[in-house]
Amino acid sequence: MNFTREQKIDILLIIISTISVIASFVLSLDYISWIAVILCGIPIFKECVEGLITEFDIKADLLVTIAIIASIIIGEVFAAGEIATIMAIGGFLEEYTVSRTQGRIEELVKMTPQVATRIKNGIEEKISVEQVQIGDILKVLPGESIPTDGIIVNGETSIDQATLTGESLPVDKQINDEVYSGTINLYGSFTMKTTKISEDSSLQKLIKLVESSKPENAKIVRSADRWATWIVVIAFLSAVITYFITGEIIRSVTILVVFCPCALVLATPTAIMAAIGNLTKYGVLVKDGESLEELAHVNELVFDKTGTLTYGTPEVINVVSENEIEMMHLLASLESKSEHPLAKSIVKHYSSNDFSEVHDFKMIIGKGVTGTINNSKIIAGNKKLLNDENIPIKYDDQTTNGEITIFVAKDGEVIGKVLLADTLRENSKQTIKRLKRLGIKTTLLTGDNEETGRFISKQVKVSNAQFNCLPEDKTEYIKQEQLNGNKVAMIGDGINDAPSLRKANVGIAMGSIGSDVSIEAANIALINDNIGDTPHLIGIARKTLSTINLNIAFSLTLNIIAMILAILGILDPIAGALVHNIGSVIVIIYSSTLVNYRISRKDYRKTKKLGMTKSLNKSIT
């Protein structure tokens, strides 16, 4: 664990205080407990006073402060030190586990193009992106980021739009096609006419979405504070009434001591720490306790497609030819000269370095490649390229699953074809199935076209699917679902998913392949990119909520019983302090069972019922 300097100081003070309390008990020297009172009690007292003066807020710290002062007044310094130490431990655990990590957008800002090449009166000039005006003619070279949104007026190219749409493959563009700021021009140079200034571009809109999209969650508060007002009132009334009836101040002080919510304060952070520790073993990192609370109530999980349900890279899924060995050798030799993602996938599938020498290699943007191998002209590309070369098309059975077809021709005759597609992760289908058993609605939102998206959605059998989604479309869908009363979690990997990850009640990022922006925008990261862990993640979130509810119920019951015993004179302040220890130990032991928790078949039925119940007491803090 990485601790800040302040957190390291807190840990040191807690260790010293704990040693002093133990030494005070073992040696029967109460004055040693003053160390704990000073180191841990004074910060609690200070926070209590600040809360009352600045916010007029009654928190558990008030009752803790009263219990510490009352114990000191009657000479029970050990009880005061013990209370201060336990409360400091609980406060530290709570502060550490619920600290929120805010989303960062530095990576998006870095991606924003800074300069553009403008053509004015036939002369090229470099200008800052802020100077670009609507209607300007800009030139974009291969490898450059597109400065702002516009329309191609001359040239053809392939553009990587994954930043905005999440599409797994480059998109071919020609005259009159739209291009977007922040996307990458892969191959051909082109000129474009701007349709938006920089601050209104698609990339800037994405940045604004990341900044502004926040889940409509209540602010996180401490469990003990929810009960603080009632606890303070009950404790005071009980202490006052007991004094008037019995005339024994020791009983009244004992009531204040035993009603101090030590176990209650520990109820939440110990369970959250145990749950987070459990998830860490599976490569799941949770940024704060509030995320587990929200996840326990989630009833819909929204998936991005590329890089989430699928691997996000094209692979050869079928080869059709009468002589597959010869065709693949010629095709791989030709594609080895290309840097296109499809070419790399073909070469990888060929899995050999046995290439023939290629002469007169030529890339035709948006269509394919040509070259000469062993005095034969080899062409690899789509139907457009074959039509341009007047080559009759063979093996032209239509594809309906979103595959990309590359035809291979030798000396004017098609000798075969290769089909490529983004492939499903092995556990995608099983994951969706298990989520449904948990009562979770599964939704696919993808930037891919309907043909590709629908094929994937049918394979994994999601409950709902939408296609051709831009980042704002995904965010709007989540917003509408939330307005309809649903709790929505979103899982994605790309920068384009960042706004949706922040807008969702819980954002889950694919950790190792995901962008820094998407990981920072999310509440939870799957470091191993294993979406098969999501059912366990939801299951343990629900189990954690159940554990905390039981911890709180136990803590309140213990306080009530101890108070009754204090009223009857059976407990004194020292015994009351020991009751705190017993209660705290029980809470910690029960919470620790979450460390080795693993969702089972039996739990699916339980957690499904829990997930569909809207009347759960939200107590995770």
Side-chain angles (χ1 to χ4, degrees), residues 168-169 304-318 342 345 348-349 401-404 419-429 448 452 455-457 459-460 510 513 531:
S168 54
L169 299 174
D304 173 49
K305 180 188 78 70
T306 304
T308 305
L309 289 175
T310 67
Y311 285 104
T313 54
E315 292 185 7
V316 174
I317 60 172
N318 194 16
L342 295 180
S345 296
K348 179 181 178 182
H349 178 78
N401 299 328
E403 302 100 330
I404 295 174
L419 299 179
L420 300 97
D422 193 4
T423 55
L424 275 178
R425 293 181 181 272
E426 291 88 348
N427 56 358
S428 292
K429 295 180 182 179
D448 279 319
T452 302
F455 173 68
I456 295 295
S457 66
Q459 277 192 299
V460 298
M510 304 293 281
I513 64 171
I531 62 170

Side-chain angles (χ1 to χ4, degrees), residues 179-213:
V179 291
Y180 305 103
S181 172
T183 58
I184 309 299
N185 179 30
L186 295 179
Y187 304 110
S189 63
F190 64 90
T191 54
M192 57 174 282
K193 182 178 181 180
T194 60
T195 56
K196 293 180 182 177
I197 58 176
S198 175
E199 64 182 23
D200 295 329
S201 69
S202 299
L203 182 58
Q204 290 301 319
K205 186 184 294 184
L206 180 59
I207 292 174
K208 291 174 184 176
L209 278 171
V210 174
E211 290 177 324
S212 63
S213 296

Side-chain angles (χ1 to χ4, degrees), residues 83-94:
I83 292 171
T85 302
I86 288 182
M87 294 303 295
I89 293 172
F92 172 79
L93 288 176
E94 194 167 40

Side-chain angles (χ1 to χ4, degrees), residues 55 71 86 97 141 158 181-182 186 216 244 249 263 266 275 283 285 341 360 375 389 400 407 416 504 515 539 550 566:
E55 302 175 15
S71 297
I86 288 182
T97 56
L141 297 175
S158 290
S181 172
L186 295 179
E216 286 72 26
F244 277 113
I249 189 64
L266 291 173
L285 298 185
D360 302 323
N375 297 321
E389 297 288 336
T400 58
F407 293 96
S515 69
L550 287 174

Side-chain angles (χ1 to χ4, degrees), residues 401-559:
N401 299 328
E403 302 100 330
I404 295 174
T405 303
I406 294 180
F407 293 96
V408 182
K410 177 181 179 183
D411 292 330
E413 181 181 357
V414 174
I415 60 174
K417 70 176 181 179
V418 172
L419 299 179
L420 300 97
D422 193 4
T423 55
L424 275 178
R425 293 181 181 272
E426 291 88 348
N427 56 358
S428 292
K429 295 180 182 179
Q430 183 65 19
T431 298
I432 298 298
K433 182 179 179 180
R434 293 170 65 197
L435 288 169
K436 289 181 177 179
R437 288 169 57 196
L438 289 171
I440 301 293
K441 175 184 176 183
T442 54
T443 298
L444 172 65
L445 301 181
T446 177
D448 279 319
N449 59 65
E450 183 173 353
E451 182 183 45
T452 302
R454 192 173 296 281
F455 173 68
I456 295 295
S457 66
K458 286 182 177 179
Q459 277 192 299
V460 298
K461 298 181 180 178
V462 290
S463 309
N464 180 35
Q466 293 188 13
F467 321 109
N468 299 307
C469 294
L470 294 174
E472 54 264 39
D473 297 325
K474 296 180 181 181
T475 305
E476 182 61 26
Y477 175 86
I478 292 172
K479 178 181 178 181
Q480 290 302 318
E481 290 296 292
Q482 290 171 333
L483 291 175
N484 290 335
N486 292 322
K487 292 284 189 178
V488 183
M490 166 76 182
I491 179 169
D493 73 301
I495 292 175
N496 64 298
D497 295 321
S500 302
L501 291 170
R502 291 202 69 190
K503 187 66 178 176
N505 297 88
V506 180
I508 304 172
M510 304 293 281
S512 68
I513 64 171
S515 69
D516 290 342
V517 174
S518 67
I519 293 173
E520 290 298 335
N523 309 99
I524 298 170
L526 305 180
I527 299 303
N528 297 327
D529 293 331
N530 184 11
I531 62 170
D533 288 328
T534 51
H536 173 65
L537 174 59
I538 292 173
I540 199 169
R542 293 175 177 177
K543 180 66 174 178
T544 303
L545 183 63
S546 173
T547 299
I548 290 176
N549 284 335
L550 287 174
N551 278 343
I552 290 174
F554 166 76
S555 302
L556 291 175
T557 302
L558 181 66
N559 280 354

Side-chain angles (χ1 to χ4, degrees), residues 8 22 51 71 134 149 173 183 204 227 322 329 332 396 399 427 478 542 551 568 580 605:
K8 290 178 180 178
I22 294 174
S71 297
I134 295 176
D149 295 2
K173 300 282 186 175
T183 58
Q204 290 301 319
W227 299 90
E322 293 178 2
H329 174 74
D396 189 27
T399 61
N427 56 358
I478 292 172
R542 293 175 177 177
N551 278 343
L568 297 175
H580 286 150
R605 293 190 292 272

Side-chain angles (χ1 to χ4, degrees), residues 216-340:
E216 286 72 26
N217 297 338
K219 265 193 172 182
I220 194 165
V221 294
R222 302 197 314 182
S223 301
D225 292 340
R226 299 188 182 197
W227 299 90
T229 302
W230 288 105
I231 290 175
V232 170
V233 171
I234 293 172
F236 263 115
L237 287 177
S238 299
V240 171
I241 293 173
T242 299
Y243 177 73
F244 277 113
I245 294 176
T246 66
E248 297 181 24
I249 189 64
I250 192 74
R251 294 194 187 190
S252 297
V253 172
T254 303
I255 291 172
L256 295 177
V257 171
V258 298
F259 234 106
C260 181
C262 292
L264 183 60
V265 169
L266 291 173
T268 295
T270 53
I272 292 176
M273 286 287 284
I276 290 176
N278 175 301
L279 292 170
T280 301
K281 293 189 298 183
Y282 295 97
V284 181
L285 298 185
V286 181
K287 294 184 179 180
D288 52 58
E290 186 183 12
S291 301
L292 288 177
E293 175 189 21
E294 289 295 310
L295 192 61
H297 295 280
V298 160
N299 54 14
E300 180 174 3
L301 184 55
V302 173
F303 288 87
D304 173 49
K305 180 188 78 70
T306 304
T308 305
L309 289 175
T310 67
Y311 285 104
T313 54
E315 292 185 7
V316 174
I317 60 172
N318 194 16
V319 177
V320 181
S321 176
E322 293 178 2
N323 190 340
E324 181 178 331
I325 295 177
E326 179 193 12
M327 188 204 74
M328 283 303 301
H329 174 74
L330 294 173
L331 176 61
S333 299
L334 185 62
E335 297 287 13
S336 67
K337 300 298 182 181
S338 172
E339 292 298 317
H340 196 284

